[in-house]
Amino acid sequence: MAPARAPLFLARRSYRLRRVMDALRLLPLFGLILFVLPAMFVVEPSQVARFGLYIFAVWGAVIAVTAYLSRRLDRALDPGEPLAEICDD
């Protein structure tokens, strides 16, 4: 008889939790890219005001996405259950 193997796929709950945690880890990098990329193309003084509005829009969007993902992660985690037990499925 062949030895028992671990399941090929992760449980749905732990998989989604890991993807939310990955998104929260990558969000600062994504926000930094969104901040820096247009700054390289501001050449004329007339574009500075538009760039300032863009920065505040990106800043607000990063805050909103972070709040959404952190609430989703907070709801998914049970306060009595350690994270290591959830992600080790």
Side-chain angles (χ1 to χ4, degrees):
M1 245 174 134
R5 294 187 337 196
L8 183 59
F9 298 104
L10 294 173
R12 181 169 288 180
R13 180 177 175 215
S14 65
Y15 177 79
R16 288 188 179 165
L17 282 175
R18 286 181 182 194
R19 297 300 74 87
V20 170
M21 287 187 288
D22 290 343
L24 282 169
R25 287 181 188 129
L26 289 176
L27 195 59
L29 179 64
F30 183 65
L32 181 68
I33 290 169
L34 287 176
F35 279 142
V36 172
L37 190 62
M40 295 187 304
F41 300 111
V42 174
V43 182
E44 299 176 19
S46 63
Q47 294 178 344
V48 173
R50 188 177 292 174
F51 175 69
L53 290 174
Y54 172 80
I55 289 294
F56 282 112
V58 168
W59 181 50
V62 167
I63 289 171
V65 170
T66 303
Y68 170 75
L69 289 175
S70 64
R71 284 183 187 260
R72 187 171 173 185
L73 184 65
D74 189 40
R75 278 191 223 137
L77 292 176
D78 185 22
E81 189 175 9
L83 185 60
E85 290 179 11
I86 295 171
C87 293
D88 287 339
D89 289 342

